[in-house]
């Protein structure tokens, strides 16, 4: 009887060892004889690898970019250096289109998102779609910015609209289209600069005039065309993409940066300045170029091969550049000349 009992115990121990070996070889198991192995390996998930369709990969990238930028804006006051928190927002939260083009936070605190099928507003709980019922046409790309009076402006190839209450009104302006990449920038002093198909425009208010006053700047001699793409207001300086060049306008005049300054022969869609004073621009289909602080010539930064030339760059609350890549976002720290993967 005792011999039989010892055989049973040896058999059980053998089964436990075999199950553990199988788990260590395969990396996962449907069931394990020993309870302690179940506890140790319960966190591991099993399943076949799947190859995603390119469209699915692109949508996942866009959703990741949306989640990163929205959470950075919502929690910027609570973030400390080198620390980020992320929450994913999507269809379950009311965002019916995940092909995100632009994200903007208005002075009230709402998050506005431009997608390939219209714009949405996020109130901290859910997204709400804004379209023809709210007075604005559906669009595949829109720029957001502050009007001289602090109200919301939305522009694109459909013109320029202003939010009044919960309804949009179209403004009567001497241009047809606004650059949707970074076409609306306020200086915080009652002036709004807009990049349009017919040039750089400034909006401001005058006492007794219910409509905004429109001031149009003439095309700068030596530039390749009248259209203006990205706009950045940097104190008393306005940077903007003028034709296929970059213009820097201040109280002393306008300076042109072109091929001799290290820039490609492309429209400059986005312009950003980081906390170190380095100026970053994204050229159409050419990726990023940077003008280090104190220098006079742009150069191509040393970026990973996976960097996306079509994504929209951003600057976080600590002045660091966030550059999109197909599998997440990269953080560029100028002091170290390095990139840190965020997602």
């Amino acid at each position: 009887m005792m011999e039989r009992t010892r055989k049973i115990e040896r058999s059980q121990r053998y089964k436990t060892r075999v199950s553990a070996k199988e788990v260590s070889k395969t990396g996962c198991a449907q069931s394990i004889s020993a309870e302690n192995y179940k506890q140790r390996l319960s966190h591991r998930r099993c399943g076949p690898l799947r190859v995603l369709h390119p469209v699915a990969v692109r949508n996942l990238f866009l959703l990741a970019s949306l989640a990163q930028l929205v959470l950075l804006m919502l929690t910027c006051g609570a973030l400390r250096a080198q620390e980020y928190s992320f929450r994913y927002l999507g269809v379950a939260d009311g965002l019916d289109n995940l092909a995100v083009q632009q994200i903007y936070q208005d002075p009230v605190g709402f998050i506005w998102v431009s997608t390939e099928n219209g714009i949405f507003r996020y109130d901290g709980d859910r997204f709400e779609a804004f379209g023809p019922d709210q007075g604005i046409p559906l669009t595949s790309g829109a720029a957001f910015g502050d009007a001289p009076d602090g109200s919301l402006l939305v522009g694109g190839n459909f013109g320029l609209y202003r939010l009044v209450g919960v309804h949009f009104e179209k403004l009567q302006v001497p241009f047809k289209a606004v650059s949707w990449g970074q076409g609306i920038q306020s200086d915080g002093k009652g002036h709004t600069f807009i990049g349009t198909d017919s040039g750089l425009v400034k909006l401001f208010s005058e006492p007794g005039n219910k409509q905004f006053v429109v001031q149009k700047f003439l095309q700068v001699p030596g530039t390749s065309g009248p259209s203006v793409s990205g706009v950045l207001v940097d104190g008393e300086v306005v940077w903007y993409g003028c034709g296929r060049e970059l213009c820097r306008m201040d109280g002393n005049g306008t300076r042109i940066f072109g091929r001799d300054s290290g820039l490609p022969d492309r429209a400059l869609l986005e312009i950003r300045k980081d906390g170190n004073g380095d100026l970053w621009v994204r050229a159409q289909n050419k990726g990023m170029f940077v003008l280090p602080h104190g220098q006079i010539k742009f150069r191509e930064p040393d970026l990973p091969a996976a960097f996306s030339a079509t994504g929209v760059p951003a600057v976080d609350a600590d002045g660091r550049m966030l550059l999109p890549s197909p599998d997440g976002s990269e953080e560029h720290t100028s002091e170290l000349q390095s990139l840190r993967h965020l997602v």
Side-chain angles (χ1 to χ4, degrees), residues 48-324:
L49 294 175
R50 293 177 295 176
V51 178
L52 296 178
H53 189 276
V55 173
V57 174
R58 177 174 178 273
N59 285 341
L60 287 174
F61 159 57
L62 291 170
L63 178 58
S65 299
L66 167 65
Q68 293 161 28
L69 295 178
V70 167
L71 265 298
L72 286 176
M73 288 187 288
L74 288 176
T75 62
C76 63
L79 293 177
R80 295 180 297 172
Q82 305 297 333
E83 294 183 3
Y84 294 92
S85 298
F86 298 99
R87 174 189 166 195
Y88 291 91
L89 305 172
V91 176
D93 303 284
L95 185 62
D96 295 335
N97 190 293
L98 303 182
V100 176
Q101 308 290 346
Q102 287 287 349
I103 301 174
Y104 179 78
Q105 186 172 25
D106 67 23
V108 179
F110 291 112
I111 300 291
W112 293 86
V113 178
S114 169
T115 75
E116 289 186 350
N117 190 31
I119 64 176
F120 295 79
R121 186 180 72 177
Y122 183 66
D123 61 5
D125 181 38
R126 290 193 59 79
F127 286 93
E128 178 185 0
F130 277 70
D133 290 343
Q134 291 78 28
I136 191 167
L138 293 177
T139 177
S140 60
F144 302 104
D146 295 343
D149 63 356
S151 59
L152 179 71
L153 292 177
V154 180
N157 59 9
F158 48 86
L160 184 66
Y161 285 73
R162 174 190 179 196
L163 182 65
V164 180
V166 293
H167 193 83
F168 281 96
E169 296 179 354
K170 187 171 184 178
L171 299 182
Q172 299 303 313
V173 289
F175 52 84
K176 295 180 180 180
V178 174
S179 173
W180 68 266
Q182 189 185 346
I184 305 175
Q185 287 277 298
S186 170
D187 65 358
K189 302 176 182 179
H191 308 98
T192 300
F193 294 86
I194 302 176
T196 78
D197 57 328
S198 61
L200 182 67
V201 168
K202 181 172 72 172
L203 301 184
F204 58 95
S205 300
E206 284 186 343
N209 192 344
K210 295 183 179 181
Q211 302 295 323
F212 297 132
V213 179
V214 180
Q215 177 184 351
K216 185 177 178 181
F217 295 88
L218 298 176
Q219 179 182 344
V220 178
T223 57
S224 54
S227 64
V228 170
S229 46
V231 179
L232 173 68
V233 177
D234 180 27
E236 300 300 321
V237 176
V238 179
W239 297 87
Y240 60 98
C242 43
R244 295 189 298 276
E245 291 80 29
L246 176 68
C247 287
R248 180 190 186 276
M249 181 177 68
D250 60 17
N252 298 319
T254 302
R255 178 182 174 183
I256 303 172
F257 294 79
R259 261 55 68 200
D260 293 341
S261 302
L263 290 173
D265 187 21
R266 291 288 191 277
L268 303 174
L269 304 180
E270 279 93 25
I271 309 169
R272 299 284 190 268
K273 193 173 186 179
D274 65 23
N276 293 319
D278 298 343
L279 190 73
W280 297 71
V281 299
R282 184 174 75 83
Q284 187 175 29
N285 300 325
K286 282 291 186 178
M288 299 297 297
F289 291 79
V290 61
L291 178 65
H293 179 65
Q295 299 188 23
I296 60 173
K297 194 166 185 177
F298 283 84
R299 62 175 178 80
E300 291 188 71
D302 185 17
L303 299 177
F307 169 71
S308 172
T310 60
V312 177
V315 179
D316 73 3
D318 294 319
R320 294 167 298 195
M321 285 297 302
L322 299 178
L323 306 177

